[in-house]
Amino acid sequence: MKRYWLIITLSAAICIVASVAVLRGWESLAVSALHNLRTKIETDKKSEGAEEENQQPIVALTFDDGPIPGCTDTLLEGLRERGVCATFFLLGVNIDGNEELVKKMVAEGHLLGTHTQNHVNLPLLPLDEAMEQVTLTADKIETLTGQEVEYVRPPYGEWNETLEKNIRQIPVGWSVDSRDWALQNTDAVTERVMNEVEDGDIILLHDCYDTSVEAAFRIIDELKERGFRLVTVDQLLDA
């Protein structure tokens, strides 16, 4: 409030100076003063907007196992309508034949990561096979989108020190497990997530079930009502 009174007072003073300047033929001084005032007000508004955004609780929605024609299309449409970007961990086997969906994800601002080629338990494989499972999908994504894949979602959340040392992608787990694959019930999935979610959480969902897609829309709408801001994994980790 004090800042607004200061701006008002400053505005009045500058207007007086500008008026005098015009009367005396100092038009350039008047224009400069008014420009400086406008810049000051716009800068303050941007600063206040950034402060308010930084104070919001944030969460990241993540979707595994896609892309799946039908489910993923519907999900992308709903995310676009809600102005939300999510993170998709893709299976290489599901990229084949659905390349346009992958390109669409990136075009609409979503973050893509690898979820291996065949949804395998990485620590149970020989190292060279485990690395190939991760890189095959990453290479497909990079070839289609031109963007480097920086993150991996290990199937079943299984990871170890050997993989950490040899795979360049950063492993991303989750802090809220919707268990949508087991529940396959929109109400139950929504309730489970909303009962657990807190600031800074990473929510695990899948874009291969209609019930999960509908639950995702409900979760987004309820999170927004609670004042949450929805971001991608990289944005959450950088916050």
Side-chain angles (χ1 to χ4, degrees):
M1 184 63 72
K2 290 181 179 179
R3 178 161 48 189
Y4 287 121
W5 280 112
L6 178 60
I7 291 175
I8 292 172
T9 303
L10 181 62
S11 300
I14 290 178
C15 287
I16 292 173
V17 171
S19 299
V20 172
V22 170
L23 289 174
R24 294 187 177 184
W26 299 340
E27 288 86 353
S28 60
L29 177 60
V31 171
S32 177
L34 292 174
H35 173 74
N36 290 339
L37 173 62
R38 186 179 298 111
T39 301
K40 168 66 175 173
I41 293 173
E42 290 176 354
T43 300
D44 283 351
K45 284 182 179 179
K46 290 180 180 178
S47 177
E48 288 170 7
E51 288 177 6
E52 289 179 4
E53 187 175 90
N54 289 335
Q55 291 173 357
Q56 284 183 277
I58 60 174
V59 294
L61 279 183
T62 66
F63 296 91
D64 288 5
D65 293 358
I68 302 295
C71 281
T72 304
D73 299 87
T74 302
L75 177 59
L76 290 176
E77 181 180 353
L79 292 174
R80 183 172 62 254
E81 290 174 351
R82 289 165 173 79
V84 169
C85 288
T87 302
F88 290 85
F89 293 100
L90 308 183
L91 286 176
V93 68
N94 287 338
I95 291 176
D96 300 333
N98 296 308
E99 290 84 359
E100 292 307 311
L101 266 178
V102 176
K103 294 178 182 178
K104 187 176 182 181
M105 290 174 178
V106 171
E108 295 185 356
H110 303 292
L111 178 67
L112 305 188
T114 171
H115 194 41
T116 73
Q117 175 70 13
N118 303 106
H119 204 281
V120 292
N121 193 322
L122 291 172
L124 298 183
L125 298 177
L127 179 59
D128 59 341
E129 292 183 22
M131 293 174 63
E132 185 178 37
Q133 280 284 330
V134 174
T135 57
L136 273 175
T137 301
D139 289 346
K140 288 181 181 181
I141 295 171
E142 292 174 5
T143 299
L144 286 170
T145 67
Q147 295 187 3
E148 182 180 2
V149 174
E150 299 182 15
Y151 301 96
V152 55
R153 166 69 55 77
Y156 316 108
E158 296 293 335
W159 193 251
N160 61 27
E161 186 176 348
T162 302
L163 295 170
E164 185 77 30
K165 291 179 178 179
N166 289 276
I167 293 177
R168 64 179 174 82
Q169 282 81 12
I170 300 169
V172 175
W174 56 86
S175 52
V176 176
D177 185 354
S178 68
R179 290 190 60 81
D180 56 342
W181 59 271
L183 296 170
Q184 295 196 39
N185 179 287
T186 299
D187 292 336
V189 171
T190 303
E191 182 178 4
R192 180 180 175 87
V193 171
M194 295 310 300
N195 284 342
E196 295 185 17
V197 67
E198 296 179 353
D199 183 22
D201 274 333
I202 296 176
I203 301 171
L204 169 62
L205 290 157
H206 297 78
D207 56 324
C208 51
Y209 306 104
D210 291 332
T211 50
S212 298
V213 171
E214 183 57 39
F217 297 154
R218 293 189 191 179
I219 290 166
I220 291 170
D221 294 342
E222 290 191 31
L223 284 171
K224 286 189 170 184
E225 287 181 6
R226 293 189 188 183
F228 280 83
R229 182 164 58 94
L230 291 101
V231 298
T232 52
V233 162
D234 57 341
Q235 292 171 329
L236 186 144
L237 295 178
D238 288 341

